[in-house]
Amino acid sequence: LAKLDSGALPKAQWLLWKGDAQRVKGDAEGAVRSYRSAVELDPSDPRPYIALATVYRRELKAVEQAKYW
């Protein structure tokens, strides 16, 4: 993750990639925090919404998932 923090990317993109890395490592809660932060910074980008729905689906949180699909 430290390699991604170069400042060369828009913050929302960096948070999306950080969330992806956290999800792959099994840190679902950290991924959700990163994806939500990405949504706050760029609500027009659909990718963090899709990522959030995917995490919630995998965690079987149907109520939360429905907010993002």
Side-chain angles (χ1 to χ4, degrees), residues 6-26:
S6 67
L9 295 170
K11 183 75 172 175
Q13 177 66 54
W14 184 86
L15 286 165
L16 180 63
W17 287 355
K18 180 181 178 185
D20 291 344
Q22 290 167 313
R23 182 179 43 80
V24 168
K25 289 175 57 179

Side-chain angles (χ1 to χ4, degrees), residues 24-35:
V24 168
K25 289 175 57 179
D27 181 9
E29 290 180 17
V32 165
R33 284 191 301 273
S34 294
Y35 294 145

Side-chain angles (χ1 to χ4, degrees), residues 28-61:
E29 290 180 17
V32 165
R33 284 191 301 273
S34 294
Y35 294 145
R36 284 184 175 167
S37 294
V39 166
E40 288 177 15
L41 290 173
D42 186 1
S44 66
D45 186 351
R47 295 173 301 164
Y49 294 101
I50 294 167
L52 276 167
T54 301
V55 169
Y56 287 132
R57 186 186 71 226
R58 289 185 181 155
E59 296 294 315
L60 301 175
K61 297 180 181 174

